């Protein structure tokens, strides 16, 4: 699946867009942005999110989200607004994932459960191509509220057989995330100055981080399915010792929330997989009639900055 990267490498972005089919122009854009980036900044995700993930679309506000992948389960319960006393709904979509990636990355880099928000998060979102105003402002604010008051629990084992259990608790604590009503010409504040990651999540994150490339995260910042697959590939491919088959049935079980039938899921997954691979030039895998063949690959970021990672992956 490395044809797009080769086309871009040999011809450059502009010529590559003329050489590929119309539906592949997006892949050229993603691949060229990652390959041309001089930004080798490190992103971090908890390995549990490589196995199970948040919903892609909005659920009823009182709905509980349950996802199982391999032998790991994620349960997310919506919280209640302290102002309206109504359910806020569980977090969903690309913006919720981007906020989570920021929080996880900052926690590991700083070695602290206390995460600075305010200007730092706004600057990061700007670098990721997410505007701090208008419709994006409302979406990010809504997803931050949902994340702030939801409770999450992981239960089960990872692919190595290691237990990955959390107790049920709020994902974050401390701070209010309601925007204030501006009294002058200032932009309303999107969130408070800081928050604190829950004890169990922070401990799991430090013990089991997955290194990601900032440039790839930016390239997929509006693509929740692409982000999920990218994190999964970053987690699985670098740890493989030999080629590994993953069936369509297993892929449907892990990534197919919202798709009842395999025939509905398969083409959507392949499209998202291609976008994720475009953002991960080192990924080596093949699509077959039976599923995927994953092959040992270099991690998406060449040098794992272990100064940020106190424990081995």
């Amino acid at each position: 699946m490395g044809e797009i990267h080769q086309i871009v490498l040999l011809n450059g972005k502009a010529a590559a867009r003329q050489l590929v089919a119309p539906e592949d122009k997006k892949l050229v854009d993603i691949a060229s942005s990652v390959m041309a980036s001089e930004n080798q900044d490190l992103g971090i995700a908890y390995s549990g999110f490589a196995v199970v993930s948040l919903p892609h679309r909005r659920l009823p506000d009182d709905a509980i989200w349950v996802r199982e992948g391999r032998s790991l389960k994620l349960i997310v319960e919506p919280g209640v607004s302290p102002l309206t006393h109504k359910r806020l709904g569980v977090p969903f979509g690309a913006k919720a994932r981007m906020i989570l990636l920021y929080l996880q990355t900052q926690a590991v880099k700083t070695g602290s459960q206390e995460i600075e928000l305010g200007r730092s998060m706004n600057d990061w979102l700007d670098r990721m191509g997410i505007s701090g105003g208008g419709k994006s402002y409302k979406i990010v604010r809504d997803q931050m509220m949902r994340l702030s008051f939801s409770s999450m629990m992981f239960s089960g084992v990872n692919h190595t057989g290691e237990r990955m259990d959390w107790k049920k608790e709020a994902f974050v604590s401390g701070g209010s995330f309601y925007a204030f009503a501006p009294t002058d010409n200032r932009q309303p504040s999107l969130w408070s100055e800081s928050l604190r990651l829950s004890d169990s999540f922070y401990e799991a994150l430090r013990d089991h981080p997955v290194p990601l490339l900032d440039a790839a995260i930016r390239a997929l910042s509006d693509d929740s399915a692409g982000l999920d697959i990218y994190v999964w590939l970053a987690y699985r491919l670098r740890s493989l010792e030999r080629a590994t088959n993953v069936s369509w049935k297993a892929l449907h079980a892990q990534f197919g929330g919202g798709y009842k039938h395999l025939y509905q899921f398969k083409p959507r997954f392949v499209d998202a997989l291609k976008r994720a691979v475009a953002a991960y030039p080192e990924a080596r895998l093949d699509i077959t009639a039976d599923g995927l063949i994953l092959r040992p690959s270099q991690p998406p970021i060449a040098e794992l900055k272990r100064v940020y990672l106190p424990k081995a992956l």
Side-chain angles (χ1 to χ4, degrees):
M1 292 188 64
E3 296 88 352
I4 289 293
H5 304 104
Q6 193 68 14
I7 293 172
V8 172
L9 185 63
L10 293 176
N11 301 279
K13 177 181 176 180
R17 293 185 100 255
Q18 301 302 315
L19 293 171
V20 301
E23 62 269 21
D24 289 338
K25 292 184 187 296
K26 176 65 173 177
L27 304 183
V28 170
D29 293 341
I30 294 171
S32 60
S33 68
V34 173
M35 294 168 68
S37 176
E38 296 181 357
N39 175 9
Q40 289 293 305
D41 285 349
L42 178 71
I44 294 291
Y46 168 53
S47 61
F49 286 121
V51 182
V52 287
S53 58
L54 298 173
H56 296 292
R57 300 176 183 86
R58 181 171 185 165
L59 304 180
D61 288 345
D62 60 351
I64 296 174
W65 176 250
V66 180
R67 287 301 297 161
E68 294 190 56
R70 298 176 67 86
S71 53
L72 186 67
K73 178 187 289 188
L74 169 65
I75 302 172
V76 186
E77 295 187 12
V80 176
S81 166
L83 292 184
T84 65
H85 306 292
K86 295 180 179 180
R87 291 284 182 182
L88 290 165
V90 300
F92 66 92
K95 298 297 188 295
R97 287 160 170 80
M98 294 298 289
I99 294 169
L100 271 171
L101 285 169
Y102 171 80
L103 298 177
Q104 293 170 97
T105 299
Q106 289 300 107
V108 174
K109 283 186 174 183
T110 62
S112 173
Q113 289 173 257
E114 299 285 342
I115 310 300
E116 181 184 354
L117 302 180
R119 179 174 296 177
S120 294
M121 188 165 181
N122 283 328
D123 289 346
W124 184 81
L125 289 173
D126 285 343
R127 293 202 310 273
M128 294 296 105
I130 300 174
S131 169
K135 184 178 180 180
S136 290
Y137 171 89
K138 294 180 181 179
I139 294 173
V140 172
R141 176 182 177 274
D142 175 62
Q143 294 304 318
M144 178 63 94
M145 289 285 293
R146 291 167 180 263
L147 284 166
S148 302
F149 293 100
S150 293
S151 64
M152 298 190 194
M153 181 175 69
F154 281 90
S155 179
V157 297
N158 64 16
H159 76 285
T160 67
E162 183 178 8
R163 294 296 304 180
M164 301 178 74
D165 289 339
W166 296 6
K167 63 182 180 180
K168 175 185 170 183
E169 62 182 344
F171 173 68
V172 299
S173 62
S176 170
F177 302 98
Y178 292 94
F180 65 77
T183 56
D184 50 32
N185 293 326
R186 294 176 298 167
Q187 176 75 12
S189 175
L190 189 55
W191 34 64
S192 61
E193 288 303 310
S194 65
L195 57 75
R196 179 182 176 86
L197 295 185
S198 67
D199 293 343
S200 58
F201 180 66
Y202 180 65
E203 181 179 351
L205 175 62
R206 283 172 61 90
D207 287 349
H208 304 283
V210 179
L212 310 171
L213 184 65
D214 242 18
I217 295 171
R218 175 186 172 89
L220 299 170
S221 63
D222 62 349
D223 184 352
S224 61
L227 283 169
D228 285 349
I229 297 171
Y230 173 74
V231 174
W232 175 64
L233 292 176
Y235 172 62
R236 289 297 308 276
L237 296 182
R238 69 181 302 273
S239 62
L240 293 177
E241 296 181 355
R242 59 182 180 276
T244 301
N245 295 308
V246 183
S247 70
W248 285 116
K249 181 179 179 180
L251 292 166
H252 184 213
Q254 179 171 346
F255 295 102
Y259 296 97
K260 183 177 180 180
H261 301 291
L262 181 59
Y263 73 84
Q264 298 171 318
F265 160 76
K266 187 175 176 179
R268 299 292 182 88
F269 175 82
V270 170
D271 287 345
L273 175 68
K274 289 179 179 179
R275 296 192 297 272
V277 171
Y280 186 177
E282 299 83 5
R284 299 177 60 239
L285 58 96
D286 297 303
I287 302 174
T288 72
D290 298 321
L292 301 183
I293 301 175
L294 305 181
R295 305 184 186 281
S297 306
Q298 293 296 313
I301 187 162
E303 181 182 355
L304 187 61
K305 300 177 182 178
R306 294 197 175 275
V307 64
Y308 297 146
L309 307 180
K311 297 186 179 181
L313 289 171

